[in-house]
Amino acid sequence: GAVVSQHPSWVICKSGTSVKIECRSLDFQATTMFWYRQFPKQSLMLMATSNEGSKATYEQGVEKDKFLINHASLTLSTLTVTSAHPEDSSFYICRADKEGNEQFFGPGTRLTVL
Amino acid sequence: RKEVEQDPGPFNVPEGATVAFNCTYSNSASQSFFWYRQDCRKEPKLLMSVYSSGNEDGRFTAQLNRASQYISLLIRDSKLSDSATYLCVVGLSSNTGKLIFGQGTTLQVKP
């Protein structure tokens, strides 16, 4: 089956630093990728929809200048958390859709900001 | 009001029990419906899609009532390995592929 990978799987960083998370579709091309965030005991919240070659569409309340999304190729989308703060600590999950709307989630990246 | 509402539980049941989860959604234009399973600190995994006619996959049965905007999941003969959080997920009517997740219902199956 299709596989979506994320790197890194976990990261600890100091407050004020930037962190880049990669999402790759390993055996299919994904024109659309989605980025979610999940805080403990809460549901997955969609942050943004990323389309290859164009600007991402952000959900209401998500700062586009803080969460930079780049979808440079059909197999790679990156999320950069700029100037991370402790409140950004969360589980970040990407999703890549195969043609025919099959949905595949990455294994997630656990970010801890000290 | 949340777009997708679930009772967070936890539901604690003995092995072999039958357990039912319910979910309601607020957007009447929703077009697709799913149950996902999420284990602790892992990504969600698709359990099954939900259709108006109802559908069954082994011990799992899902039902959709569009008039009441209500989705259910029934698990028969619970196994220890069924312990997880079950997420009710709704797809909106546009072609954006946007999915709205419920908070999840936690199930603990005990020996």
Side-chain angles (χ1 to χ4, degrees):
Chain A
V3 177
V4 175
S5 71
Q6 278 184 244
H7 178 80
S9 54
W10 59 269
V11 57
I12 301 173
C13 69
K14 291 182 180 179
S15 187
T17 59
S18 294
V19 175
K20 180 189 280 189
I21 302 170
E22 292 185 350
C23 175
R24 292 181 187 273
S25 56
L26 297 184
D27 58 355
F28 67 98
Q29 293 183 329
T31 51
T32 305
M33 290 185 174
F34 303 83
W35 285 97
Y36 292 82
R37 179 168 56 179
Q38 185 178 32
F39 293 108
K41 299 191 185 299
Q42 295 188 25
S43 60
L44 273 74
M45 298 299 295
L46 180 64
M47 299 176 68
T49 302
S50 166
N51 294 296
E52 187 266 336
S54 63
K55 289 184 180 180
T57 303
Y58 289 81
E59 294 300 301
Q60 192 173 13
V62 178
E63 299 173 59
K64 63 179 183 344
D65 295 327
K66 180 169 179 63
F67 299 99
L68 302 178
I69 291 173
N70 184 291
H71 194 156
S73 78
L74 288 170
T75 58
L76 172 65
S77 176
T78 60
L79 167 68
T80 301
V81 183
T82 62
S83 186
H85 290 285
E87 58 266 29
D88 298 323
S89 298
S90 188
F91 190 45
Y92 292 85
I93 305 173
C94 73
R95 170 188 140 210
D97 284 7
K98 205 173 178 181
E99 198 174 321
N101 290 331
E102 276 190 272
Q103 303 144 9
F104 299 94
F105 284 86
T109 297
R110 193 160 299 280
L111 170 65
T112 301
V113 184
L114 302 177
Chain B
R1 183 187 171 189
K2 292 180 185 175
E3 292 183 85
V4 179
E5 292 212 54
Q6 295 180 251
D7 179 349
F11 284 58
N12 295 301
V13 303
E15 266 187 294
T18 295
V19 61
F21 303 140
N22 303 318
C23 163
T24 57
Y25 60 95
S26 61
N27 190 334
S28 58
S30 300
Q31 292 296 318
S32 52
F33 309 89
F34 311 92
W35 282 102
Y36 274 75
R37 169 193 170 130
Q38 186 175 28
D39 292 288
C40 190
R41 295 177 172 267
K42 300 281 189 182
E43 78 277 22
K45 292 188 187 296
L46 180 65
L47 182 65
M48 56 199 303
S49 300
V50 188
Y51 305 109
S52 297
S53 55
N55 47 302
E56 187 174 308
D57 183 1
R59 297 181 292 109
F60 299 83
T61 301
Q63 294 276 356
L64 167 64
N65 184 320
R66 283 185 182 267
S68 303
Q69 295 179 201
Y70 171 95
I71 307 163
S72 66
L73 176 68
L74 183 77
I75 305 176
R76 289 181 298 278
D77 188 23
S78 300
K79 311 289 184 192
L80 295 176
S81 57
D82 293 334
S83 298
T85 296
Y86 291 83
L87 307 172
C88 177
V89 183
V90 172
L92 299 185
S93 58
S94 67
N95 291 327
T96 61
K98 188 172 176 179
L99 298 178
I100 306 298
F101 284 76
Q103 181 184 1
T105 298
T106 299
L107 172 66
Q108 279 285 347
V109 181
K110 299 192 181 297

